[in-house]
Amino acid sequence: MRILHTMLRVKNLDESLAFYCGQLGMTLKRRSDYPGGQFTLAFVGYHGENAHEIELTWNWDGRDYEIGTAYGHVALAVEDIYEVCERLRSAGVPITREPGPMKHGTTVIAFIHDPTGYPVELIQR
């Protein structure tokens, strides 16, 4: 077995695709509209045969979502966390936790939010 994807419901598909593909460098792998159910599924991710994908689900009815207290975050490995954060900040992406060592550890992390409000953790590799 292996993990295939994680699904996130998004408020605005175009903004979310611009964020995940434009700002975070993912690729739109496939997109399907389901008129009968009034929703669109868009799968984004990085290249590689076993690469985990994120399924962005956009419901056409304009409903709003609560992130919830049980949800954690999506985590991405980055080569230069300080450069990535500066690039994202310049593009208008809010940095909600500046890069630095995690509490009680030495791993350098930062947090940003996607357009819907989901936290994304950046981890220095």
Side-chain angles (χ1 to χ4, degrees), residues 56-97:
L56 304 175
T57 299
W58 176 57
N59 291 293
W60 303 351
D61 61 8
R63 69 182 81 169
D64 207 10
Y65 301 107
E66 294 181 26
I67 302 302
T69 58
Y71 177 80
H73 58 269
V74 171
L76 303 176
V78 298
E79 293 298 320
D80 183 343
I81 198 166
Y82 297 98
E83 182 277 324
V84 169
C85 284
E86 278 309 309
R87 181 178 54 76
L88 292 171
R89 187 187 332 275
S90 295
V93 175
I95 310 299
T96 57
R97 188 224 192 253

Side-chain angles (χ1 to χ4, degrees), residues 97 100-107 109:
R97 188 224 192 253
M102 61 181 276
K103 193 183 264 187
H104 312 295
T106 59
T107 303
I109 65 171

Side-chain angles (χ1 to χ4, degrees), residues 7-74:
M7 187 272 271
L8 300 175
R9 288 184 173 87
V10 299
K11 294 177 186 177
N12 182 309
L13 185 58
D14 291 334
E15 285 181 359
S16 294
L17 288 171
F19 176 78
Y20 285 98
C21 296
Q23 300 302 327
L24 299 182
M26 294 182 185
T27 300
L28 176 62
K29 306 281 185 114
R30 60 198 175 283
R31 176 183 173 154
S32 301
D33 293 326
Y34 295 87
Q38 297 193 328
F39 65 94
T40 299
L41 302 181
F43 290 83
V44 297
Y46 297 108
H47 294 289
E49 185 177 318
N50 293 320
H52 184 87
E53 295 177 338
I54 298 174
E55 172 189 332
L56 304 175
T57 299
W58 176 57
N59 291 293
W60 303 351
D61 61 8
R63 69 182 81 169
D64 207 10
Y65 301 107
E66 294 181 26
I67 302 302
T69 58
Y71 177 80
H73 58 269
V74 171

